[in-house]
Amino acid sequence: MRVLNTEGILRLAEPGRSKNFADDRGHGPLQDPTAAPPFLHLIQALLRRRWLIVAIAAAGTLLAAILALVVPPQYTATAQLTVERPAGGGQAPERILDEIIDTHLALIASRDHLRRVASRLQPLQLAKPDAQAPAAPSFGAPESAAGGRSEAAGQDIGQRMLQRLTVWIPSLSGRSEADRFLENLYRRTTVLQERRSRLITVAFTSPDPRTAAIYANRIAEAYVDSLQQQMEADAVAQLHDIDRQVDAARREVQDAQQAVQDAIRRRVEAPSGPGGAVDADREIRDLTRLSREAAEFHENLLRRRTEMKEAQASIRPGIGVQSRAAVPTWPSSHNPLLFVVPSAFLSLMAGCWLALILERADRSLRSDREVQRVLGIPCIGLFPRVRAGAIGAPRLHILNHPGSPYSEAVRNIAAALQAHHTGRGSRVVLVTSSLAGEGKSTLAAALSAYFGTLGRRVLLIDLDILPAAERSREPARAGNRRSPSREQMREMIAPQPELGVDYLGLSRLGVDPLLFFEPEGLPRLLTDLRKSYDVIVVGGPPVLGASEARLLPSIADQVLFVVRWASTKRDVAEHALSFLRRFRAMDEPGPGATFAVLSHVKLKQQARLSFGDTGGDPPAFGPGPDRPPADRPSARTAEDAGPVERSA
């Protein structure tokens, strides 16, 4: 359907499809000038889900605060060691000093040193043999090589996964308590050099400040003691070696002296010729020289042993404890309460994202513009949500409170129906919905009561027939296979004081609903009742709840299709509306005047958050089967629209 409005814009509209706009020259689509900006839609969506966002933000903030209080603070105690400067001066000793410091850093942080510390801190843990450690779970071999290959492969994969899992979870690895204690000690110990100085800092972190100080001091002192013991052991070994060399040199001196004495004695006792004397004297001189050298070597060893004994008393490892670790009074870990604010911000962002996702996934209808755009039929009013028991008698409420939102909404809907009524005689208005519980019965009663206050002769017919599942639970009534005659149905009409209209209840007769649509049944009755009543309001069953509801539009002049606000899904409403159009098209060329009404609307929230709609009749797309012609007066005049907007 194409309609040119007064502004020269070609409007293309089809039922069930969104509105598209193009200029009259065909230069492509134009944006709807009445549509809200995307940023405004985003703000409206967040405001509609504001309580969800607030709940998620509060839950995230509370969880972060709980975790901040549950996680224990960490305390770090530090002990300082001083490395002695090597003897000598110049550039070479400085490089040597750097190498010495690096060596100390590596040795202090080594697992061997920490194992010795752990043996002092927990001697009983390391005393346990490895055989007592719990063994890792083992997987049995398959029973047969041919039939159990798949099972063996699965067990191998499970075993490998378990082994990899135990790497990151020490409690599952089956290692002893001493090994886990050593691993914890290694992870919590930090050794570093203070800038470019000769100070080495040994830091230990623990939830207990006293434990942190004790462990830091033990690690530093144990390293100095181990170096002292190692140097003393080396000195003892060297002194023992010197003693062995002294004994050997003393024996050598004694042997040399004895050889000299023997040579002299042979020279004296057995004189020889001139040649023999010369050789004997030369031998005596050589032996004397060797004896003298052995004596000098022995004296040097004695002197060296004396020096080593003197040095042994003053052995220093070259590194010492400069300052012991004190018990820390303030945690070294970050204040966890500082993460509460970022957690609150992240929770708020997560709530906003979730709200947008839910809003995107929400397929319910919330505004008259949305109903008109999705369903392709005009939405002639918003029926407010009324608390249970707030309105006892609709007629008295409309008369006593004409300015209430309830009365204004009913007046608006009735005025729209009157404006869209083409005939001058009586009319039949069918009120139906997609599913049960969407407010069609309440709306039918309210419309009947309002038309009654205008002095019209009104009949309310209750055709909200029980579903098949409920009819099957009433065998006594379901056994009745005959529909009452027109005269019997006329006699069933009785006045309804609360509404001020006549009432015909056909929903609880236990009759098969299809019997009402026989040629001499309800259609003929409505033809006869048109002579006695100005308005006949038929409260029909839900379209998707009872198949008989699809036949009702054939006997009605106007159809009010009730859509529950923020509850009825788009697909459900479109599906139900397609059934109404299909069965009406079988009887008449066009689907007739079908209008939508939003029920259970929270008017204040609707006016504040949902596209600025106030419940009036939106502009029609153009003339068509479901729409009034362009020259027909609008359903929402200034006189009718004002009170509803003011009440909303």
Side-chain angles (χ1 to χ4, degrees):
M1 187 65 64
R2 300 183 179 182
V3 177
L4 279 173
N5 60 5
T6 57
E7 299 177 355
I9 297 179
L10 179 63
R11 178 174 295 175
L12 306 175
E14 296 181 6
R17 298 182 60 183
S18 60
K19 295 183 289 184
N20 299 322
F21 294 92
D23 57 8
D24 53 355
R25 298 182 182 181
H27 291 309
L30 299 176
Q31 186 179 3
D32 184 4
T34 62
F39 179 75
L40 182 58
H41 283 294
L42 178 64
I43 298 300
Q44 291 170 350
L46 294 179
L47 289 177
R48 278 194 292 270
R49 306 278 182 174
R50 62 186 183 276
W51 295 118
L52 175 64
I53 297 174
V54 171
I56 294 177
T61 304
L62 181 61
L63 180 61
I66 293 175
L67 291 178
L69 297 178
V70 168
V71 175
Q74 301 294 323
Y75 295 87
T76 301
T78 58
Q80 290 183 337
L81 302 174
T82 303
V83 179
E84 296 181 359
R85 187 182 298 274
Q91 186 177 1
E94 292 296 333
R95 292 198 299 268
I96 295 175
L97 178 61
D98 293 339
E99 295 177 359
I100 293 174
I101 292 175
D102 292 339
T103 303
H104 286 308
L105 292 175
L107 292 177
I108 295 174
S110 64
R111 288 184 177 270
D112 291 337
H113 172 62
L114 295 180
R115 184 175 290 107
R116 290 191 295 268
V117 175
S119 64
R120 295 185 180 183
L121 295 174
Q122 286 190 346
L124 297 179
Q125 296 293 339
L126 293 180
K128 295 180 180 180
D130 296 338
Q132 295 180 359
S138 60
F139 297 89
E143 296 179 357
S144 61
R149 292 181 179 178
S150 59
E151 183 180 358
Q155 290 177 352
D156 292 340
I157 295 175
Q159 187 175 5
R160 287 196 298 270
M161 293 178 62
L162 182 60
Q163 290 176 354
R164 295 171 184 172
L165 184 63
T166 56
V167 173
W168 306 110
I169 304 179
S171 59
L172 300 178
S173 61
R175 293 181 294 179
S176 62
E177 184 68 23
D179 293 337
R180 292 197 294 268
F181 175 75
L182 177 60
E183 185 67 26
N184 188 27
L185 191 67
Y186 182 78
R187 288 187 295 103
R188 293 178 176 272
T189 302
T190 304
V191 182
L192 52 88
Q193 180 186 6
E194 292 288 346
R195 300 181 182 178
R196 299 292 298 173
S197 65
R198 293 183 290 113
L199 291 177
I200 295 178
T201 299
V202 179
F204 188 83
T205 303
S206 175
D208 185 14
R210 295 180 58 86
T211 302
I214 293 173
Y215 282 23
N217 290 327
R218 290 292 180 87
I219 294 172
E221 293 172 354
Y223 180 71
V224 175
D225 294 342
S226 63
L227 286 182
Q228 181 75 23
Q229 294 174 2
Q230 183 179 0
M231 294 181 69
E232 290 178 354
D234 293 341
V236 170
Q238 292 178 4
L239 186 60
H240 181 69
D241 186 52
I242 288 295
D243 290 339
R244 189 172 57 253
Q245 293 179 12
V246 168
D247 294 339
R250 184 172 59 251
R251 288 192 300 269
E252 185 178 356
V253 170
Q254 293 175 357
D255 294 341
Q257 291 177 354
Q258 186 65 33
V260 171
Q261 293 176 3
D262 293 341
I264 294 174
R265 189 172 53 252
R266 287 194 305 270
R267 173 77 172 81
V268 173
E269 292 178 355
S272 58
V278 173
D279 294 336
D281 293 339
R282 185 183 300 113
E283 181 183 3
I284 293 173
R285 285 195 302 271
D286 292 339
L287 292 175
T288 303
R289 181 175 54 79
L290 292 176
S291 177
R292 188 169 48 253
E293 290 178 357
E296 290 177 358
F297 180 70
H298 180 260
E299 291 177 359
N300 290 334
L301 289 177
L302 291 176
R303 187 168 49 255
R304 185 178 176 185
R305 184 178 64 177
T306 303
E307 292 175 356
M308 291 184 63
K309 288 182 177 181
E310 293 176 355
Q312 186 177 7
S314 60
I315 290 178
R316 300 179 61 183
I319 186 173
V321 178
Q322 177 68 25
S323 62
R324 291 173 52 83
V327 178
T329 58
W330 189 258
S332 59
S333 57
H334 297 288
N335 189 352
L337 297 178
L338 298 178
F339 296 97
V340 174
V341 176
S343 300
F345 179 75
L346 293 177
S347 301
L348 182 62
M349 294 297 296
C352 293
W353 278 108
L354 181 60
L356 293 178
I357 292 174
L358 294 178
E359 189 70 20
R360 183 67 177 177
D362 187 7
R363 304 292 296 171
S364 59
L365 300 171
R366 292 178 177 271
S367 66
D368 53 1
R369 293 177 184 269
E370 193 174 11
V371 170
Q372 179 173 290
R373 175 171 53 85
V374 173
L375 302 181
I377 57 176
C379 182
I380 61 175
L382 306 181
F383 196 67
R385 180 181 181 181
V386 181
R387 295 189 303 272
I391 298 178
R395 175 183 175 85
L396 295 179
H397 183 85
I398 293 174
L399 293 175
N400 298 332
H401 306 280
S404 66
Y406 177 86
S407 303
E408 291 289 350
V410 177
R411 184 180 297 110
N412 251 357
I413 297 172
L417 291 176
Q418 182 67 28
H420 288 82
H421 180 52
T422 56
R424 296 183 179 179
S426 61
R427 64 181 183 273
V428 178
V429 180
L430 171 64
V431 183
T432 184
S433 62
S434 303
L435 301 172
E438 296 188 347
K440 60 183 183 309
S441 300
T442 305
L443 178 61
L447 281 176
S448 303
Y450 178 74
F451 282 121
T453 59
L454 299 179
R456 308 286 178 86
R457 295 171 297 174
V458 183
L459 173 64
L460 174 61
I461 300 178
D462 182 11
L463 269 178
D464 194 357
I465 306 168
L466 290 174
E470 296 186 16
R471 293 198 302 268
S472 63
R473 290 194 290 267
E474 299 183 6
R477 294 186 179 184
N480 188 5
R481 294 295 180 180
R482 299 185 59 185
S483 173
S485 62
R486 295 197 309 275
E487 291 73 13
Q488 292 175 341
M489 287 189 287
R490 278 180 174 274
E491 294 176 357
M492 293 172 60
I493 299 176
Q496 187 76 13
E498 296 180 355
L499 302 178
V501 299
D502 292 341
Y503 175 77
L504 174 60
L506 301 177
S507 60
R508 303 287 176 175
L509 294 179
V511 180
D512 193 320
L514 290 178
L515 298 177
F516 288 116
F517 295 93
E518 294 179 351
E520 297 299 325
L522 186 60
R524 183 66 178 272
L525 176 63
L526 290 177
T527 302
D528 297 341
L529 292 177
R530 286 177 183 268
K531 302 175 183 179
S532 304
Y533 295 96
D534 299 324
V535 180
I536 300 175
V537 180
V538 180
V543 177
L544 301 181
S547 58
E548 301 82 10
R550 304 164 190 175
L551 303 176
L552 292 175
S554 61
I555 61 176
D557 300 321
Q558 294 175 324
V559 178
L560 282 182
F561 186 71
V562 179
V563 177
R564 183 160 182 166
W565 181 79
S567 177
T568 304
K569 305 300 181 184
R570 300 182 181 184
D571 300 338
V572 174
E574 290 178 347
H575 187 52
L577 192 60
S578 66
F579 276 115
L580 292 178
R581 287 171 174 166
R582 184 185 310 168
F583 284 89
R584 184 61 181 265
M586 295 172 60
D587 183 68
E588 296 182 4
T594 303
F595 308 100
V597 174
L598 275 173
S599 65
H600 293 78
V601 179
K602 297 179 181 180
L603 295 178
K604 292 183 179 180
Q605 184 177 356
Q606 171 74 9
R608 183 174 66 252
L609 302 178
S610 186
F611 311 112
D613 298 336
T614 56
D617 184 19
F621 289 136
D626 285 324
R627 309 174 185 90
D631 57 349
R632 186 171 298 171
S634 174
R636 186 187 181 196
T637 60
E639 179 181 359
D640 294 329
V644 173
E645 294 181 354
R646 290 194 300 270
S647 64

